[in-house]
Amino acid sequence: GFTEGRSYQLFARLVEEGRMHSCPTLLPGELRQGLEALLTFSCRSLDAWRSVGELKFAIFSEFCQLYPEYDFVFCGDDGQGDVLAG
């Protein structure tokens, strides 16, 4: 999506400037789940983000299986299911 593209542009610039060692990978989500969480947050509170976090965890698990030779650092914030995924 748009925001991911902007993040990758920033990462590439930081690598080029020597301010970051390598370019990180972002875990993609699904628009439907994000919109559903946004629309239901007022009545479901943090539970609205549960499906987003579960999807991120599933994607991360698949990523780990694809690249078992690597170690991973999971960085997130307090929104969009990152706490649940972590």
Side-chain angles (χ1 to χ4, degrees):
F2 175 76
T3 58
E4 288 87 356
R6 299 283 298 191
S7 294
Y8 280 119
Q9 288 175 356
L10 172 63
F11 297 154
R13 191 179 81 237
L14 292 172
V15 170
E16 185 178 301
E17 294 172 354
R19 296 169 55 196
M20 185 178 276
H21 176 69
S22 62
C23 190
T25 298
L26 300 175
L27 299 177
E30 289 185 3
L31 182 60
R32 180 191 64 79
Q33 288 180 311
L35 287 175
E36 180 181 308
L38 280 173
L39 295 173
T40 62
F41 180 76
S42 63
C43 60
R44 294 181 60 207
S45 188
L46 295 177
D47 194 50
W49 293 101
R50 182 168 303 282
S51 65
V52 175
E54 289 170 350
L55 175 65
K56 283 188 178 189
F57 179 75
I59 292 169
F60 180 69
S61 296
E62 290 177 18
F63 199 80
C64 290
Q65 289 177 3
L66 286 172
Y67 303 101
E69 67 275 15
Y70 289 102
D71 294 321
F72 300 95
V73 175
F74 183 85
C75 298
D77 55 23
D78 62 351
Q80 299 181 350
D82 291 345
V83 172
L84 296 169

